[in-house]
Structure formats: structure tokens, C-alpha cells
Amino acid sequence: MTPAPANDRPAGGERAPRVLVVDDEPNIVDLLRMALRFHGFDVVTASTGHGALRLAAEAEPDLVILDVMLPDVDGFEVCRQLRDYGQNVPVVYLTARDSHRDKIAGLTYGGDDYVTKPFAVDELVARVRAVLRRTRPAPAVLRFADVVLDPDTHLVTRAGAPIELSPTEFSLLRYFLTNPGRVLSRTQILDAVWSYDYVGESTVVDQYVSYLRRKLGQHGGPLLHTQRGFGYALRLPPGTPG
């Protein structure tokens, strides 16, 4: 079970949609964690029904992907208890139980969608997005100087010119845009963009800041500034009127 870090939501800013994945099969959890993070979601996981109920309260997910056949409490009961506790977080069931009767039961207990195993990852991600569109307010467009980032369409422009970004570059820019003026350390950036369980080298932050700096710099002055010994900050170019 992986609880969310307490400080991963930028102060005053928007965070990525958080999905709680509940399944006792480690390979499925790993697959969904990787796929959802690739598509810009924050992911927390649980392997039991009791763990799911605890994390639903602590991590405040925007959506739960919930297996029905769990080792302690089945997913239908987990959903029922969530609703009894007043938690209206959307629930997408992911289960091998594919009978019409099970589907009706799951939706009756308060589920929002029902996906059967085996499943296609891209279809599941599409269903997650569809449920979130119905239940979550549309994300606000982020702006700083002449940079505009639309979290919903994944379009980025500077001075009106489109900028092609990789998913990681997009997530990195979004993190800077939700924290303008703040000096962000490598550790903070790793936690927000690569997730808190990333085990690679922290120099990956320097590499991606360099990529992003170069792409933004094609259409204007420097916006990403290095604070030696501390990290990076999104600031207006020197001499630019505030």
C-alpha cells in the first residue's frame, strides 16, 4: 500500500487527478500505475478493502479503480461503505466477475463504471477520463507571462506559437506553472513529476529542465532560472515589466 505524500499538492495550485488503484494482483497494480502516470495521473495503491477505505479518506483520490475480489472485503462492500461514509468519489470496478448480475450489483452499490478482466489499458484510461469529465470540474488553463498550458487538451503555446512537449516535459511545465516564483528543489520536482517512489538518478531533473528551457526559449526570453544549490524557479526574464 502506498500512501500519498502530505506535501504533493502545490500551495494554491492544481494537482494532477489522483487515482486510487485497489487490486491484490501486483502485476495489475504495476501495469496500471505505469500507464496512469504516463497519462498524467497521480496514483496511490492498496491491496485490500480495508486499505482502500483508509486511503480513500487519507489520500482524497479523485477516482477509485476497484477490484471486486479482494482478500478481506469485496469491492462491492467497499463501495457501499464509501457511500455510507458520505464519500462520493467515483468508482470504476475492474474485475473478472463479468456476469450481468454482478454488473447490476456493482452499479447499484454506487459504482460509476464496470470493466471486466482481461482488459485493454487504453480503454480503461479512456473510461477513467470519461468518468472524471462527468464528475470533476474542468481543469483551469494555466498561464504565466506568454505561456499557456491547457491541462485538458494538453496543448501548450508561448507567444501564440504551439510547443510540442513529451508527457514528462508537459508534467514538469505544469508543476512550474502551479508554483510560479517558488524555488523548487530536485527532490520536490522528482516527487511531483516522477512520483515519490522513483529510484533513478536525480540528474534526470536537470536534463528535463534543460529540454524544457530550450523549447520555451525558442519563442521568448528565459523563464526557467537556476538557483544554485537550491533548485529551479519559474520567473520572468530579467528586465521584463511585472
Side-chain angles (χ1 to χ4, degrees):
M1 181 163 28
T2 56
N7 62 350
D8 73 334
R9 187 196 297 260
E14 173 197 336
R15 65 162 169 83
R18 175 170 295 154
V19 176
L20 169 58
V21 175
V22 186
D23 202 299
D24 63 340
E25 296 184 55
N27 60 325
I28 290 181
V29 171
D30 290 343
L31 173 65
L32 292 180
R33 181 191 290 116
M34 180 174 62
L36 289 166
R37 284 179 178 164
F38 176 80
H39 286 279
F41 294 94
D42 181 25
V43 182
V44 292
T45 68
S47 58
T48 65
H50 292 306
L53 291 169
R54 181 176 68 81
L55 269 183
E58 292 179 359
E60 299 181 354
D62 298 292
L63 182 139
V64 180
I65 296 177
L66 181 60
D67 187 14
V68 174
M69 300 170 66
L70 296 169
D72 52 352
V73 182
D74 74 38
F76 295 154
E77 177 62 17
V78 170
C79 188
R80 187 190 68 77
Q81 289 191 33
L82 286 173
R83 301 300 181 245
D84 285 349
Y85 297 156
Q87 292 179 299
N88 294 317
V89 57
V91 171
V92 175
Y93 293 108
L94 180 64
T95 177
R97 292 170 59 169
D98 60 356
S99 73
H100 180 70
R101 184 174 181 178
D102 284 327
K103 293 177 182 179
I104 295 299
L107 297 175
T108 300
Y109 278 115
D112 296 87
D113 203 347
Y114 197 104
V115 179
T116 56
K117 300 177 182 177
F119 62 95
V121 173
D122 55 351
E123 179 186 352
L124 179 60
V125 171
R127 286 177 180 246
V128 166
R129 289 193 186 281
V131 171
L132 285 174
R133 279 196 298 270
R134 296 197 304 265
T135 58
R136 191 170 186 249
V141 172
L142 301 176
R143 303 174 188 272
F144 181 84
D146 54 358
V147 175
V148 179
L149 179 150
D150 189 327
D152 195 33
T153 64
H154 289 83
L155 295 178
V156 176
T157 62
R158 182 170 190 194
I163 300 176
E164 295 293 331
L165 299 180
S166 70
T168 300
E169 292 166 345
F170 183 90
S171 296
L172 179 60
L173 178 59
R174 178 170 55 191
Y175 187 54
F176 277 117
L177 288 171
T178 57
N179 292 276
R182 289 181 57 191
V183 178
L184 304 172
S185 69
R186 284 195 187 99
T187 299
Q188 288 174 306
I189 295 171
L190 280 173
D191 285 350
V193 178
W194 280 266
S195 84
Y196 45 87
D197 56 359
Y198 174 77
V199 294
E201 295 292 331
S202 64
T203 53
V204 71
V205 172
D206 305 325
Q207 295 169 359
Y208 273 88
V209 168
S210 176
Y211 300 155
L212 188 55
R213 186 181 272 153
R214 183 165 60 248
K215 290 185 177 182
L216 292 174
Q218 293 174 355
H219 304 285
L223 292 176
L224 295 177
H225 302 271
T226 303
Q227 192 84 17
R228 295 199 179 276
F230 294 96
Y232 299 97
L234 179 70
R235 293 176 180 149
L236 291 171
T240 302

